[in-house]
């Protein structure tokens, strides 16, 4: 037993292999080699050093869109106004997947912070690039009437390539491996741009005010910093333990050159907002209260132009073609949102409005009544619903609808991919290093999902009227499109 103890004691005194100086040296050399390869495999530089690329007259505005397409379009319109007021080049974002990024509730003072929502949007945009599903807002919405006559703009992919110091391959790359140095460095680059490392003098200023504390205005004769009419009530303050105070601030005075002296925000090459979502609530606006600018005719004209931004001609023409060549008759459009959120609880009300409209059309003795249906309720689930009743009554009703796999939709998606409207935005900007060398056309591995946009364009041509789901932003978008007469003008 004693011998065993002695042998054990001797064995403890032997130096372990991983503690030897040679082994430690080898590990250090290997680690340094890996880090060297990691940070030199791609031409990525510090965003701080990239600011030298933005030292000219061009200054940029970035923001973080979120939620569904209609909300993203609403934010895009607000971003156009903010960029014009602040005399900045707007960074045109991608269209995010439906609810891939959520803001939260402004009325309940429970929202994602500006830094967090910026980095979420950045990461999702890179994910869209990685999976070959990137579609720019300018690929879908026609802003040719605004750029460059009323607004300077640049595609997010072009900006990100320059800001992060990567080569032009990022714009069209569909092979960003999740474990690659490029992908990780892009995430780090987005974190810096989102403001997690703070502002960077003359380079980056992040706007961290949100709808809990601020309502942005512009030249409305109010004293800057006055209290807004909507504040959290006492019950909410006690329940959520919050102490927010909402103030109305002139965006031009606070973030632009309206103060009379160059501020940190005005001098920064990049101004980064969080969400730019707003909506009327209790007699106020949740975040942006800029509906007119009579004292600034340039901005007033832009407000009027942005009230309705049409789809690009390829989408409008597809909707008109379906109406003329497939439906071939006057028709009613029914937008029935039945599964998502609050709308599934109002199915009976939605169907009742449709039924009342169809009964009045039946009385006109022009049968069958043609109906274009856009709905999130799968056709296999129509049985037992009012839609099922309509489909089983061909003598009185003829239903039409589109699917993603339909030839009209796929061919239009191919046309969009070929047109590449988004990458053309800002491709002629001067004074940005490397922009002239970039590839401004990408070959798509996956064609964009455009069914919703073509459906809205079909509804714009519905001469017998439109029945939409109450409270749906899609229904509001269709109503606006119908008022613009794009079906007649396209």
């Amino acid at each position: 037993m004693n011998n065993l103890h002695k042998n054990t004691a001797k064995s403890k005194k032997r130096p372990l292999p991983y503690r030897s100086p040679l082994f430690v040296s080898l590990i250090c050399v290997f680690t340094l080699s890996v880090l060297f390869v990691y940070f030199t495999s791609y031409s990525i530089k510090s965003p701080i050093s990239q600011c030298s690329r933005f030292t000219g007259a061009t200054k940029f505005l970035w923001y973080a869109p979120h939620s569904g397409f209609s909300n993203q379009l609403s934010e895009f319109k607000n971003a156009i106004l903010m960029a014009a007021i602040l005399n900045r080049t707007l960074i045109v974002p991608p269209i995010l997947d439906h609810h891939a990024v959520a803001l939260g509730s402004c009325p309940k003072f429970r929202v994602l912070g500006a830094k967090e929502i910026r980095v979420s949007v950045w990461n999702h945009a890179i994910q869209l690039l990685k999976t070959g599903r990137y579609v720019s807002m300018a690929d879908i919405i026609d802003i040719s009437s605004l750029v460059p006559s009323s607004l300077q703009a640049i595609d997010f992919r072009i900006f990100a390539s320059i800001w992060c110091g990567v080569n032009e391959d990022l714009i069209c790359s569909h092979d960003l491996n999740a474990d690659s140095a490029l992908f990780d460095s892009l995430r780090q680059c987005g974190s810096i741009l989102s403001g997690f490392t703070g502002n960077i003098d003359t380079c980056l200023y992040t706007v961290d005010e949100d709808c809990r504390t601020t309502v942005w205005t512009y030249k409305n004769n109010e004293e800057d910093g006055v209290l807004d009419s909507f504040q959290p009530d006492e019950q909410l303050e006690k329940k959520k333990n919050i102490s927010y105070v909402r103030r109305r601030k002139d965006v031009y005075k606070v973030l632009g050159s309206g103060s009379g002296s160059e501020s940190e925000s005005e001098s920064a090459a990049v101004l980064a907002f969080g969400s730019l979502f707003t909506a009327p609530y209790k007699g106020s606006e949740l975040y942006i209260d800029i509906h007119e600018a009579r004292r600034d005719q340039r901005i007033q004209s832009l407000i009027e132009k942005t009230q309705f931004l049409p789809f690009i001609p390829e989408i409008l023409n597809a909707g008109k073609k379906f109406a003329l060549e497939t439906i071939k008759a006057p028709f009613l459009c029914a937008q029935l949102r039945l599964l998502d959120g609050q709308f599934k609880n109002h199915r009976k009300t939605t169907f009742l409005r449709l039924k009342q409209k169809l009964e009045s059309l039946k009385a006109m003795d022009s049968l069958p009544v043609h109906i274009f249906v856009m709905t999130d309720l799968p056709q296999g689930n129509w049985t037992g619903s009012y839609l099922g009743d309509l489909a089983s009554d061909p003598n009185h009703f003829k239903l039409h609808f589109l699917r993603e796999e339909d030839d009209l939709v796929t061919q239009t998606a191919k046309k969009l991919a070929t047109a590449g409207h988004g990458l053309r935005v800002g491709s002629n900007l001067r004074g940005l290093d490397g922009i002239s060398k970039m590839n401004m056309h990408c070959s798509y591995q996956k064609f964009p999902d455009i069914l919703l946009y073509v459906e809205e364009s079909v509804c714009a041509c519905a001469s017998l009227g439109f029945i939409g789901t109450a409270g749906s932003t899609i229904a509001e978008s269709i109503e606006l499109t119908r008022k613009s007469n794009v079906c007649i003008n396209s």
Side-chain angles (χ1 to χ4, degrees), residues 359 362 367-369 371 386-399:
E359 289 299 324
K362 279 174 60 178
L367 300 176
V369 178
I371 312 166
Y386 184 54
L387 274 176
D389 296 341
L390 294 177
S392 61
D393 187 4
N395 293 326
H396 293 96
F397 306 106
K398 173 66 175 176
L399 271 57

Side-chain angles (χ1 to χ4, degrees), residues 445-465:
Q445 289 184 343
K446 298 178 182 178
F447 291 113
D449 180 4
I450 62 166
L451 177 61
L452 172 64
Y453 321 131
V454 177
E455 287 179 324
E456 289 193 26
S457 297
V458 174
C459 286
C461 297
S463 57
L464 295 183

Side-chain angles (χ1 to χ4, degrees), residues 139 314 411-421 424 440-444 447-448:
D139 284 325
E314 290 87 343
Q411 290 302 315
T412 304
K414 289 179 182 179
K415 290 179 181 179
L416 291 186
T418 302
H421 295 287
R424 295 180 184 179
M440 295 305 169
H441 180 76
C442 299
S443 58
Y444 278 75
F447 291 113

Side-chain angles (χ1 to χ4, degrees), residues 112-167:
L112 196 64
K115 291 184 177 67
E116 289 76 16
I117 199 168
R118 281 193 292 262
V119 80
S120 295
V121 168
W122 174 279
N123 289 340
H124 185 66
I126 300 302
Q127 188 70 19
L128 292 173
L129 277 171
K130 175 189 169 188
T131 56
R133 296 182 297 111
Y134 191 104
V135 179
S136 169
M137 181 63 77
D139 284 325
I140 303 301
I141 298 299
D142 187 356
I143 58 174
S144 59
S145 63
L146 304 179
V147 179
S149 58
S150 303
L151 178 76
Q152 287 290 342
I154 187 172
D155 185 83
F156 170 83
R157 290 163 290 186
I158 299 175
F159 172 83
S161 295
I162 299 173
W163 169 262
C164 296
V166 302
N167 58 38

